[in-house]
Amino acid sequence: MARRHKPNTPPAKQRFSGAESHKTKTPPPVTKKQFTAGERSALYARREAANVLRSVLRGDAERRAVASIKSLVFSPSVRNKRATFALVCETLKHLSVIKDVLEIANVLNSKWKRQEPLVYIICYDILFGKDTPSIGDAEKFLMRRKDALLSGLATLLVRKKVKSVEQLLGVSQLNGHIKPRYARVNTLKMDVDSAVQELEKHYTVQKDETVPDLLVLPPGSDLHAHQLVANGRIFLQGKASSMVAAALQPEAGWEVLDACSAPGNKTIHLAALMEGQGKIIACELNEERVKRLEQTIKLSGASNIEVCHGDFLGLNPKDSSFAKVRAILLDPSCSGSGTITDRLDHLLPSHASDNMNYDTMRLHKLAGFQKKALAHALSFPQVERVVYSTCSIHQIENEDVVSSVLSLASSLGFKLATPFPQWQRRGLPVFSGSEHLLRMDPVEDKEGFFIALFVKTNKLDNQKSFELPERRECGQRRNERTMQLHPYLGPKMFRAWSNMLHRRRSRLALSTSLED
């Protein structure tokens, strides 16, 4: 608040003496407090964020969104884009909590109820932000009621039977989108059991049933400042993202190409699965994303990754540089429609899976690129396995892309294989073989994802080399049945013997037909 400067008052006995008593004294002007550049910037950011939030909430209420949050924030009219985007996203993330606190505190009059978006933004700063708002009429009004707001938050924690704001956010998600915190152990630096032991000092930790090096923690567990994250021993990576490299199953000593690798979480997962051996070519076109990729690699400690700053579609499959590449991971740009929970769309009041509208032209453009990229990946001559994945729920980006390359894949010796056979949700039944595809549901699995695995047909005979544990057991049982049919011959000998009998029968049948 601005300080009031009082004029110097002369002593009482001198106040009306002499000629001074006939002069009118003018007090010195009150000096206005000069706000800092940071305070002004924060004030403007809160107003710009409130305008964006007003448009978002109004469009959501009317089911006629004028634009996405990013489009609104990054419009030319918004000056402080970074601060505005952060405020809008964080306020939406905490919106249900803020509304509950305001209802409990009951501090708003009719004037400020008409400016709810601005009130939400300021309340976020007061309750959860790092900077305490100090200027602006709305800020001053709410700061005078800060104690009531904090008391309301404490009351809400008690009502919800939780101990922290992080836990409160975990149970305040709309439509049941309570997503666990996943953390993948970087086995290049630490083993899984040691990571569990360290994390269990502060959290409840479980091992994921699908991905061996993935840990599951309660929703709202904040690990961003944890020492294991800071030193690259664990990475905060979602389950779906962690399943991609595991589906490819690269072997130690292989050469692998990650076609669209930034920000690099899947790339370094490949390195860990390969035990730091062999070579990974990490391809990325965008220069800024290359920097992020290099930072991720450095943090992981992986030494077998070579960054290729360029367009994957521009790589020549016949170039000698790629002559030893045996597996390709292709996770191209997509609509991101399966990650609506992380993008905060699910926090909007009207959110429902059947309300989502996507730009049809953009989807077709993305699908066109995805088809080219997948066909290109299959054309590398020495490649034995290709994984294609997206974080999309749309058929046009998933099953339709796979279907479009099936003829090409077959001509090059590839067939669809089944990643994670124990996983229940499979591809949409739009073509024969779609049961091999893997889908994750945005409601049941908390995110939408898609994985397709192509394997060279001459490698399909070698079950042990590529299939996951369940499939290996099936192969073992098949060999046991072979031994039961002919106990004196091993599996390979039995197949050779069977083929020889088949050829003899064929020649006999042919000679018989010629005699007839």
Side-chain angles (χ1 to χ4, degrees):
M1 296 177 62
R3 296 180 179 176
R4 294 183 179 179
H5 298 276
K6 295 183 178 179
N8 294 327
T9 304
K13 64 181 180 180
Q14 299 177 358
R15 192 173 295 171
F16 300 105
S17 62
E20 296 287 337
S21 60
H22 301 289
K23 293 181 180 179
T24 303
K25 289 191 175 182
T26 305
V30 177
T31 304
K32 278 190 174 183
K33 179 183 177 181
Q34 297 297 317
F35 300 124
T36 66
E39 288 175 328
R40 288 196 301 271
S41 177
L43 178 70
Y44 294 143
R46 286 192 290 272
R47 267 63 187 172
E48 289 179 328
N51 289 334
V52 171
L53 186 61
R54 181 178 294 105
S55 297
V56 169
L57 294 178
R58 184 189 301 123
D60 181 67
E62 297 173 356
R63 309 296 195 270
R64 296 176 62 183
V66 294
S68 68
I69 295 173
K70 282 189 176 181
S71 298
L72 291 170
V73 170
F74 290 99
S75 66
S77 61
V78 177
R79 290 180 293 180
N80 194 343
K81 293 177 171 55
R82 183 174 180 178
T84 300
F85 183 70
L87 272 175
V88 171
C89 289
E90 289 301 316
T91 302
L92 278 173
K93 185 176 179 181
H94 294 78
L95 186 57
S96 59
V97 176
I98 292 171
K99 286 182 176 182
D100 288 342
V101 169
L102 286 170
E103 184 179 353
I104 293 170
N106 193 25
V107 296
L108 297 184
N109 55 32
S110 58
K111 173 185 176 181
W112 296 113
K113 284 182 179 179
R114 291 193 295 271
Q115 299 188 46
E116 281 187 332
L118 178 58
V119 169
Y120 296 152
I121 296 288
I122 298 170
C123 279
Y124 165 75
D125 262 347
I126 292 175
L127 295 171
F128 311 110
K130 296 180 180 179
D131 300 321
T132 303
S134 57
I135 60 174
D137 291 342
E139 286 85 347
K140 292 175 182 177
F141 173 84
L142 290 167
M143 280 300 294
R144 288 195 294 268
R145 293 154 178 82
K146 180 178 179 179
D147 290 343
L149 293 173
L150 292 174
S151 176
L153 179 58
T155 301
L156 184 60
L157 291 172
V158 173
R159 288 183 182 178
K160 297 291 185 179
K161 298 180 180 180
V162 295
K163 297 180 179 180
S164 66
V165 173
E166 288 78 12
Q167 291 177 322
L168 185 61
L169 289 174
V171 299
S172 297
Q173 306 295 320
L174 298 181
N175 291 331
H177 283 84
I178 303 174
K179 186 176 180 180
R181 163 64 72 188
Y182 289 100
R184 184 181 59 77
V185 181
N186 177 16
T187 53
L188 293 174
K189 287 187 172 183
M190 191 178 204
D191 64 87
V192 175
D193 290 336
S194 297
V196 171
Q197 185 178 1
E198 184 67 25
L199 290 172
E200 280 184 335
K201 295 178 181 178
H202 304 285
Y203 304 96
T204 302
V205 184
Q206 294 179 333
K207 294 180 181 179
D208 184 70
E209 297 178 352
T210 309
V211 183
D213 51 6
L214 190 65
L215 304 179
V216 187
L217 289 82
S221 300
D222 189 1
L223 299 175
H224 290 86
H226 198 283
Q227 60 175 350
L228 294 184
V229 175
N231 58 30
R233 283 177 167 79
I234 65 173
F235 282 83
L236 303 182
Q237 185 173 356
K239 177 165 182 169
S241 175
S242 301
M243 291 172 69
V244 177
L248 188 64
Q249 286 196 290
E251 297 182 11
W254 276 22
E255 283 198 15
V256 178
L257 176 60
D258 189 351
C260 307
S261 55
N265 285 338
K266 299 181 184 69
T267 313
I268 60 173
H269 193 188
L270 288 171
L273 292 172
M274 295 165 63
E275 301 174 4
Q277 302 175 33
K279 178 181 175 182
I280 299 171
I281 302 171
C283 189
E284 177 56 48
L285 177 61
N286 184 278
E287 186 174 356
E288 289 300 316
R289 288 171 63 83
V290 166
K291 294 178 182 178
R292 174 74 183 278
L293 170 63
E294 291 173 339
Q295 292 172 354
T296 304
I297 295 171
K298 182 179 180 180
L299 182 61
S300 74
S303 58
N304 63 333
I305 301 175
E306 177 185 299
V307 176
C308 173
H309 181 193
D311 184 1
F312 170 64
L313 290 177
L315 302 183
N316 181 2
K318 296 181 180 179
D319 191 296
S320 59
S321 303
F322 311 113
K324 296 181 181 179
V325 173
R326 298 180 65 178
I328 293 180
L329 190 156
L330 175 62
D331 187 62
S333 300
C334 70
S335 65
S337 53
T339 57
I340 51 174
T341 302
D342 295 328
R343 298 187 319 168
L344 305 178
D345 292 359
H346 67 290
L347 295 176
L348 296 175
S350 68
H351 172 76
S353 58
D354 56 355
N355 272 337
M356 292 180 290
N357 295 315
Y358 292 92
D359 187 338
T360 303
M361 289 182 63
R362 179 170 177 260
L363 283 176
H364 279 87
K365 185 176 180 181
L366 284 168
F369 164 73
Q370 292 156 356
K371 291 175 182 177
K372 290 180 181 178
L374 181 53
H376 192 59
L378 293 168
S379 67
F380 283 71
Q382 299 303 317
V383 166
E384 302 173 13
R385 308 176 198 171
V386 174
V387 158
Y388 170 75
S389 63
T390 74
C391 54
S392 171
I393 62 173
H394 297 303
Q395 177 184 328
I396 190 175
E397 296 182 274
N398 297 331
E399 287 85 359
D400 290 356
V401 170
V402 172
S403 178
S404 71
V405 301
L406 286 180
S407 296
L408 173 65
S410 179
S411 68
L412 295 171
F414 285 96
K415 284 187 177 181
L416 285 172
T418 309
F420 303 100
Q422 75 275 26
W423 192 263
Q424 294 182 353
R425 278 171 282 283
R426 292 291 158 185
L428 301 178
V430 292
F431 65 85
S432 177
S434 64
E435 66 275 7
H436 295 291
L437 309 175
L438 183 149
R439 268 184 172 267
M440 295 185 74
D441 184 80
V443 175
E444 295 294 329
D445 306 309
K446 313 308 178 192
E447 58 184 324
F449 218 85
F450 176 86
I451 299 176
L453 171 63
F454 290 86
V455 178
K456 278 277 177 70
T457 51
N458 62 338
K459 301 298 176 183
L460 287 171
D461 292 333
N462 186 4
Q463 299 290 339
K464 186 177 180 180
S465 68
F466 92 97
E467 289 180 343
L468 293 163
E470 287 80 2
R471 298 293 294 276
R472 292 179 189 174
E473 292 172 5
C474 292
Q476 183 179 357
R477 286 194 293 268
R478 184 173 58 250
N479 291 341
E480 290 173 355
R481 288 195 299 270
T482 299
M483 294 296 289
Q484 291 173 1
L485 291 171
H486 203 292
Y488 299 105
L489 294 177
K492 291 183 179 179
M493 293 282 293
F494 179 79
R495 282 197 295 270
W497 177 68
S498 298
N499 291 335
M500 182 182 66
L501 287 180
H502 178 72
R503 287 193 297 271
R504 287 182 177 178
R505 291 189 186 116
S506 298
R507 285 197 296 269
L508 180 61
L510 179 61
S511 61
T512 302
S513 61
L514 290 175
E515 290 174 1
D516 293 342

